[in-house]
Amino acid sequence: MYIFIGKCTHRYAVPGTLLVRRMISSSEVATALRPFYFAVHPDLFGRYPQQRQVNEDSLKLLSAHLESLLTQKRILPSTPRALPFYIRASNAPQDRGTFNLIKVPLERTVDAKLVLRRILESCNLPTGYVDKMPATKPSSTATSSSGSPYEEGFQQQQQHQSFYYKKRSEYNFGKEEEEADDSGPFEKEFDLFQFRIKKVRENETLKKWLRKHVVTATVRTKAVQELQEEVEKLREDVTKRLGLREIIYDCGWNVEHFRGCLKSLEKLAELHPGALDGLKDRTVVFAAFTGVSLEGNVMLFTGDVQRNWLELIKTIDKHDSYLRKLPAYEFALSQVLRNIRIGRRKFMPKAQAMAYASHLRKITTALLDYLGKSKFPKSWPTDLSKFELVVESEAGPLMVSPTGQLIVPATCPGSLLVDFLTNHLEEALEKQSSYDRQKHIERDLHARCVAQFRLLSLTKDDSVTPDRMIECLEKLLAQGGLAGGGQLELADLNLTITTYYSVLTDGTVCIPWDWKQ
């Protein structure tokens, strides 16, 4: 007998059984989630970098999860149970800049239809299209388990592709497909919106964009300077009063929010004199969580109430005890992996010392379990000290970073980790060597750009790798050196190299690294 899978003509011979299954296609998933993408797309948050980054990171994880469901019919070990997304509170002008943080659940099932429905329901979006999808039902009592011939057939049928990072044209932008007849006004409006964004990006040049927005950036920069001076004075006063080493603002919000955080900390010291003695000689960081970071800094979540800040400060010794254990945990992991260096990403998400200690224990235990049953490959060098391993959270990636670091999630099984290292050690060395060369070039270009354009500051997003930054800065210097009025208007501005055009509320100018001349 033969197994017929969906509309595909592939046939898989399995004696004595018959299974008919209709798979959900990638185009159906894209159509079903079109309203969701419209609500959370990072391009809609150009002026709000924190919300934009959260949505972009979550979309990457969602894309990997959906791809695994369709291509492999399995749930990735690194997939979290829920993903955070920011959506606008409303479209009213008075609510502009106000967002709601929602948790989109990822059902622990290979039923893609159920997963899609839960995603839409969490955002109060219509599920009519998903409800019309045919259910996946086997026609016989024959069942298959993971790794069986049935699942191999399913894997071969689907193409490996990412739903979020596909080219925009594949999402029916400006084209009519079979599903277009059933598309409602909302879906057509979304198609038109995306098509316009694409056209603007294609036609916009840096000089043209600056001419339209440089005045706005200059006005906002000057307007916020007086406020910044006030905030700096307040920062100095609070630092001195509490005996702090330093106060850092690492939240992504504007300077007004920083002032509010400083006043809250000042008020807490007034209400509870003596209770903040544990902060002496410490660095306080206003960040996205409350705890103690891997560097020993006291992190205070800007959205927490003062009571939570106070509770952390009172129990700071408990967090410090975990911090003191980290070198031993990192040394143990290094010894298991043949003296590999245990590092941390320069721009890795801030983590608590308690959580990081747990991550190190998990990955070390997984490797010891592996060594209890097998051995490291013979192709491995006897010493791995040339390589650097970074252990991140359960939802972290499994990848080689642009700097050559080997990034692994804490829940990575030992066999999968060993296989990953075996296949990527050479790539890691190549990227290390390339980064060592490029970082010096980037620093030189950075200094030249600041001087030539008389910038107040020049920064970049974490997503901009050294090679992209070098390409961008070389183009800037070449454009700025043109005769006949070719100089770009960037004097006395804060410039950030990223992936989009925007002028932030504090006047910071954001331009994409691949801007057009």
Side-chain angles (χ1 to χ4, degrees), residues 118 159 163 203 226 249 319 364 378 386 469-470 508:
R118 292 287 185 267
Q159 295 180 350
F163 303 105
N203 299 328
E226 184 176 340
Y249 188 65
H319 293 266
T364 304
K378 294 181 179 179
K386 293 189 297 183
M469 188 66 171
I470 290 172
T508 299

Side-chain angles (χ1 to χ4, degrees), residues 140-307:
S140 74
T141 58
T143 59
S144 62
S145 60
S146 178
S148 68
Y150 303 111
E151 300 305 330
E152 293 177 7
F154 299 145
Q155 293 177 25
Q156 294 176 15
Q157 181 202 6
Q158 296 293 334
Q159 295 180 350
H160 291 270
Q161 53 187 324
S162 168
F163 303 105
Y164 171 56
Y165 287 98
K166 287 196 304 180
K167 292 181 180 178
R168 297 295 188 262
S169 60
E170 296 181 32
Y171 280 128
N172 194 23
F173 298 151
K175 297 182 180 180
E176 295 185 358
E177 296 180 356
E178 295 179 0
E179 295 88 355
D181 294 337
D182 298 328
S183 298
F186 182 84
E187 294 174 343
K188 293 179 180 178
E189 181 182 350
F190 174 72
D191 291 345
L192 182 60
F193 170 78
Q194 288 283 24
F195 181 75
R196 286 174 176 171
I197 288 179
K198 178 183 178 182
K199 286 299 181 183
V200 169
R201 285 180 171 176
E202 289 177 348
N203 299 328
E204 194 80 274
T205 65
L206 177 59
K207 189 175 292 187
K208 180 180 178 182
W209 185 87
L210 283 174
R211 279 200 299 265
K212 291 188 294 184
H213 296 91
V214 71
V215 174
T216 300
T218 302
V219 170
R220 290 181 180 179
T221 299
K222 291 181 178 179
V224 83
Q225 283 179 348
E226 184 176 340
L227 179 59
Q228 287 176 331
E229 293 175 0
E230 177 189 343
V231 169
E232 283 302 315
K233 185 177 184 305
L234 181 59
R235 190 208 309 237
E236 292 176 4
D237 291 343
V238 176
T239 300
K240 183 177 180 181
R241 176 176 180 177
L242 299 180
L244 302 175
R245 183 183 306 164
E246 186 181 10
I247 297 179
I248 299 174
Y249 188 65
D250 188 23
C251 188
W253 292 79
N254 57 37
V255 67
E256 291 182 358
H257 194 65
F258 185 21
R259 178 176 61 178
C261 294
L262 289 170
K263 287 187 175 296
S264 293
L265 186 59
E266 186 179 44
K267 186 68 173 179
L268 188 63
E270 294 174 356
L271 295 174
H272 303 275
L276 304 189
D277 290 344
L279 295 179
K280 288 184 177 178
D281 296 322
R282 306 286 294 246
T283 296
V284 170
V285 182
F286 293 113
F289 70 90
T290 295
V292 176
S293 73
L294 304 185
E295 297 77 23
N297 299 334
V298 178
M299 318 294 282
L300 301 179
F301 176 38
T302 57
D304 262 351
V305 295
Q306 292 182 0
R307 177 168 51 84

Side-chain angles (χ1 to χ4, degrees), residues 213-442:
H213 296 91
V214 71
V215 174
T216 300
T218 302
V219 170
R220 290 181 180 179
T221 299
K222 291 181 178 179
V224 83
Q225 283 179 348
E226 184 176 340
L227 179 59
Q228 287 176 331
E229 293 175 0
E230 177 189 343
V231 169
E232 283 302 315
K233 185 177 184 305
L234 181 59
R235 190 208 309 237
E236 292 176 4
D237 291 343
V238 176
T239 300
K240 183 177 180 181
R241 176 176 180 177
L242 299 180
L244 302 175
R245 183 183 306 164
E246 186 181 10
I247 297 179
I248 299 174
Y249 188 65
D250 188 23
C251 188
W253 292 79
N254 57 37
V255 67
E256 291 182 358
H257 194 65
F258 185 21
R259 178 176 61 178
C261 294
L262 289 170
K263 287 187 175 296
S264 293
L265 186 59
E266 186 179 44
K267 186 68 173 179
L268 188 63
E270 294 174 356
L271 295 174
H272 303 275
L276 304 189
D277 290 344
L279 295 179
K280 288 184 177 178
D281 296 322
R282 306 286 294 246
T283 296
V284 170
V285 182
F286 293 113
F289 70 90
T290 295
V292 176
S293 73
L294 304 185
E295 297 77 23
N297 299 334
V298 178
M299 318 294 282
L300 301 179
F301 176 38
T302 57
D304 262 351
V305 295
Q306 292 182 0
R307 177 168 51 84
N308 291 347
W309 289 3
L310 188 61
E311 186 65 27
L312 167 69
I313 296 169
K314 288 181 178 179
T315 60
I316 204 166
D317 290 341
K318 179 181 178 181
H319 293 266
D320 285 344
S321 66
Y322 280 94
L323 197 63
R324 289 190 290 269
K325 296 175 183 177
L326 292 184
Y329 288 140
E330 291 181 332
F331 179 76
L333 178 56
S334 174
Q335 292 300 296
V336 172
L337 273 178
R338 297 184 178 179
N339 298 318
I340 197 169
R341 290 178 287 124
I342 308 301
R344 297 163 190 171
R345 278 203 284 175
K346 182 178 180 181
F347 299 111
M348 71 182 289
K350 300 297 182 182
Q352 294 196 54
M354 296 173 64
Y356 184 57
S358 174
H359 298 158
L360 292 173
R361 289 198 304 267
K362 285 181 181 179
I363 203 75
T364 304
T365 301
L367 284 169
L368 290 175
D369 289 343
Y370 172 85
L371 291 175
K373 303 173 184 178
S374 186
K375 296 181 179 180
F376 289 141
K378 294 181 179 179
S379 60
W380 279 25
T382 55
D383 182 78
L384 296 179
S385 59
K386 293 189 297 183
F387 304 93
E388 190 170 46
L389 185 77
V390 176
V391 179
E392 295 196 351
S393 66
E394 288 86 347
L398 184 62
M399 58 174 283
V400 180
S401 77
T403 63
Q405 292 176 314
L406 298 154
I407 315 295
V408 299
T411 52
C412 185
S415 57
L416 183 60
L417 175 57
V418 171
D419 183 62
F420 169 74
L421 295 177
T422 303
N423 296 324
H424 293 87
L425 288 179
E426 185 176 345
E427 178 188 351
L429 279 181
E430 292 176 356
K431 288 189 173 181
Q432 277 185 36
S433 177
S434 175
Y435 176 71
D436 289 339
R437 294 192 305 269
Q438 291 175 341
K439 66 182 180 183
H440 300 292
I441 300 174
E442 181 182 344

